[in-house]
Amino acid sequence: MPPKPSEAPRRILVTGGAGFIGSRFVTLLLDGSLPEFGHPEVTVLDALTYAGNLANLAPVGDSPRLRIFHGDICDRSLVTWAMAGADLVVHFAAESHVDRSIQDAGSFVRTNVLGTQTLLQEALKVRPGRFVHVSTDEVYGSIPRGSWTEDRPLSPNSPYAASKASSDLLTLAYHRTHQLPVCVTRCSNNYGPYQYPEKIIPLFTAGLLDGGTVPLYGDGENRRDWLHVDDHCRAIALVALGGRPGEVYNVGGGTELTNAELTDRLLKLCGADRSAVRQVPDRKGHDRRYSVDFTKISTELGYAPRVDIDEGLADTVRWYRENRAWWEPLRSSPLGKDDDFRVDICGSA
Ligand code: NAD
């Protein structure tokens, strides 16, 4: 049973709250879409890296219940300030792009591992009622068939996934060692509005809307489960309010597609055909398939994905079509160009 709003957390710290998923979570908290939280005060702590964008918070930008701290989760004194009085911490902040981690993993280790540890250490003083660490299915590594349950040993393959696995283990260790009430969520590939155009869905959509070509890795047969960002945020809300301390919860969308199948759907939605697809050499160490078993969160907390993939993709493409002013500057900046970075056509985090 979710708590009554009167018992729900009043002060929530959201790290990475100007990124794709974090900003959506903050928006849903502040616009009343998660009524089980009542009317919380929300503090965002975000370094505003290339992936962070205050425009992502525009829908709730004038809320008197929103405070934004611009800074680094590795900065202990800033973390002390931002976390003061928080009764819930939801930790999204991360370097999140696999291909950048293949080029140079330094910032991934710093933010994802050291940054998480800095937050956990501060949480020992503040003792929030729950600390939710948002992680990824990629920590399990590739699975040819079947689906991972939460007790599967971790076997990450990319430097990104290895840094997230490290942060998961640290988070769980703070529970075992210090009884910090943490939960870890491991979700599949998210999609929806405001996703930085380096991941497959916004990258391909923006490229196709511009009449260009899109780069498909290898044979296009890598498979991913797709999860709408709103379903993911609802799952995080369930875990934040009802998850058992020290537990891991997988979150899936229940929709598995090969990259080629996903590309075909995007081509259709954007009015393009297969001539717009460039085959490019595969990513180094590219995991073939991810799949999470999300029975645990479904049975314990009543989670079920609600957004149908066809409707979700159509809405997402429509959003990119109608919000060029958001993504055009990002694509034209050096960090948004797919020639500079091997784009994450797996759409993985
Ligand atoms: P994102 O890259 O869009 O956003 C990350 C945010 O973190 C940005 O706003 C960035 O400015 C901020 N940030 C980065 N380094 C920071 C630092 N040192 N200090 C403070 N802020 C910092 O990522 P996202 O897609 O929204 O992912 C959010 C979380 O969900 C991540 O932890 C990621 O590993 C996880 N995840 C994402 C997906 C996905 O499909 N997008 C899938 C599984 C898990």
Side-chain angles (χ1 to χ4, degrees):
M1 278 284 283
K4 297 189 209 93
S6 57
E7 300 159 359
R10 306 292 313 145
R11 302 180 82 173
I12 304 176
L13 172 63
V14 180
T15 72
F20 162 49
I21 307 170
S23 63
R24 186 62 185 155
F25 187 68
V26 170
T27 298
L28 296 178
L29 280 174
L30 291 174
D31 74 4
S33 300
L34 297 171
E36 59 276 32
F37 282 89
H39 302 282
E41 288 172 15
V42 178
T43 299
V44 165
L45 173 57
D46 198 298
L48 300 179
T49 67
Y50 77 95
N53 187 347
L54 290 179
N56 297 1
L57 289 166
V60 289
D62 57 3
S63 169
R65 291 184 285 120
L66 174 64
R67 279 194 317 171
I68 299 175
F69 285 76
H70 176 195
D72 190 335
I73 56 167
C74 300
D75 178 340
R76 186 73 185 272
S77 47
L78 181 61
V79 167
T80 302
W81 217 26
M83 203 186 286
D87 44 16
L88 169 65
V89 176
V90 186
H91 174 34
F92 294 94
E95 288 292 339
S96 72
H97 189 40
V98 174
D99 292 309
R100 291 175 193 269
S101 80
I102 293 170
Q103 285 217 342
D104 183 350
S107 59
F108 289 73
V109 173
R110 185 177 176 281
T111 289
N112 300 359
V113 184
L114 183 61
T116 300
Q117 187 272 331
T118 306
L119 292 165
L120 291 165
Q121 195 65 33
E122 189 58 27
L124 289 184
K125 281 199 255 150
V126 174
R127 289 278 167 187
R130 196 68 90 245
F131 184 114
V132 180
H133 172 62
V134 179
S135 189
T136 168
D137 60 2
E138 302 195 27
V139 298
Y140 296 113
S142 196
I143 187 169
R145 65 194 71 80
S147 302
W148 299 294
T149 50
E150 289 83 352
D151 54 4
R152 184 188 164 98
L154 305 189
S155 184
N157 290 316
S158 71
Y160 160 70
S163 69
K164 291 295 291 188
S166 308
S167 61
D168 287 19
L169 296 178
L170 268 171
T171 303
L172 295 169
Y174 271 71
H175 172 68
R176 289 281 297 190
T177 308
H178 301 291
Q179 294 75 53
L180 195 67
V182 307
C183 291
V184 174
T185 58
R186 295 185 182 138
C187 67
S188 55
N189 281 17
N190 283 223
Y191 70 99
Y194 294 108
Q195 187 170 27
Y196 192 86
E198 65 185 352
K199 309 277 169 76
I200 185 169
I201 289 177
L203 179 88
F204 279 25
T205 302
L208 293 170
L209 292 177
D210 269 350
T213 60
V214 294
L216 186 61
Y217 269 142
D219 63 4
E221 290 302 306
N222 299 66
R223 306 180 80 88
R224 298 295 183 261
D225 174 66
W226 289 96
L227 170 66
H228 193 275
V229 65
D230 286 0
D231 282 329
H232 185 198
C233 290
R234 280 190 282 269
I236 290 170
L238 288 170
V239 171
L241 296 180
R244 285 182 292 132
E247 293 293 320
V248 178
Y249 294 91
N250 288 341
V251 185
T255 315
E256 189 174 315
L257 294 175
T258 66
N259 284 335
E261 289 167 340
L262 176 65
T263 302
D264 283 339
R265 291 179 190 220
L266 294 175
L267 289 170
K268 197 166 165 206
L269 287 166
C270 295
D273 61 38
R274 277 240 149 199
S275 64
V277 180
R278 279 181 281 136
Q279 218 78 29
V280 297
D282 210 350
R283 165 198 282 166
K284 287 186 195 172
H286 201 174
D287 284 332
R288 198 67 173 163
R289 178 173 178 267
Y290 299 131
S291 177
V292 280
D293 179 328
F294 53 96
T295 308
K296 181 174 170 180
I297 189 171
S298 304
T299 52
E300 275 189 28
L301 302 175
Y303 167 77
R306 292 186 199 158
V307 182
D308 169 78
I309 183 78
D310 289 320
E311 282 172 29
L313 280 179
D315 284 349
T316 301
V317 169
R318 191 176 313 117
W319 186 88
Y320 280 87
R321 202 188 288 280
E322 291 170 359
N323 289 278
R324 280 180 168 271
W326 180 85
W327 56 264
E328 276 177 345
L330 304 178
R331 266 176 68 79
S332 58
S333 84
L335 287 170
K337 287 200 174 128
D338 67 22
D339 288 344
D340 294 323
F341 275 95
R342 177 67 51 225
V343 292
D344 191 349
I345 68 133
C346 266
S348 58

